[in-house]
Amino acid sequence: AHWPKPLCNFQGRFVNCHLMASVMLRCIVRPSFIALRRFSSGSSVSVVLGCDSAGENLKRSVAQHLQAKGVSVSDLGSDKFYNIAASVAREVKQGEGQRRGILVCGSAAQGAAVAVVANKFKGVYAFPATDAVAARNARACYDANVLSLADVSVDAGSAPDIVDAFLSQGFAEAPADAPWWTPELAEEFQSSLAEVGKTEMRAMDEGVQEFIHSANAMEDRDRGFAPPGAAPPNFSDFPPPPNFSDFAPATPPRNGHHTDPPPSASAAASKWSSGASEGPPPTPPPLPKRK
């Protein structure tokens, strides 16, 4: 595969048009519906499961519970916590509101490790929960779409209640047994989520700017250009020149035959004229024929 040829110039630097188009689409089109996206409830939502090596048993129990209720389950297996959290987050992000994720890990951080990694993905809101109340409130208040369970604090007996609360609760809807819930709170949560979407866009824009700055800095470094105010290069960091005396000598003669090239005619003539050679003088090479 070949990288697309750069076609546009940005501040004196060539920037890939495909990269800029992707950035524009993410920064202009996607915010219009990501912040306002809502998750449906019920069996229409599919669930993506994943765990680390210590969460296999609890994940298997959760999968059996969901399949018994007729929920579509996609099991991504087990892997290192950062790999499986990223895989589940990608699937949820691509589901466009019709997928939710459940991560199981065996860390003592109550499921925070996989939640931290999953939250690196735009539009993914992961949270750890140890009971049904926390799961229900996270869905109602913050539109969480990934549930993180810790094998050390949640067992196979309590996991079904937490998972059911996570899947049945809607965003900005009054959770069960919540006398503190008011319509004003629902409106505040909805407007807050829109601001969260804007914060995500600002963070992504800063990441793009850092990427472009790093790419330009690498190009300047390759060209030997130092921007104003930059520290001069430290030449002591460069490796010393090679010591040619360390190189092996020429290959010795093999089978009694000398490996040096034959002497030229001029060298042989000078050797004969100095008396170092006996016999007739060497015959000079023939002159080229004229055409």
Side-chain angles (χ1 to χ4, degrees), residues 40-46 71 100 167-169:
S40 59
S41 60
S43 59
S44 61
V45 175
S46 62
V71 179
R100 294 185 196 168
L167 295 179
S168 61
Q169 179 63 47

Side-chain angles (χ1 to χ4, degrees), residues 82-99:
Y82 41 85
N83 291 332
I84 195 62
S87 299
V88 171
R90 290 190 189 97
E91 292 292 327
V92 172
K93 181 179 179 181
Q94 295 171 3
E96 297 295 348
Q98 296 302 317
R99 294 179 190 167

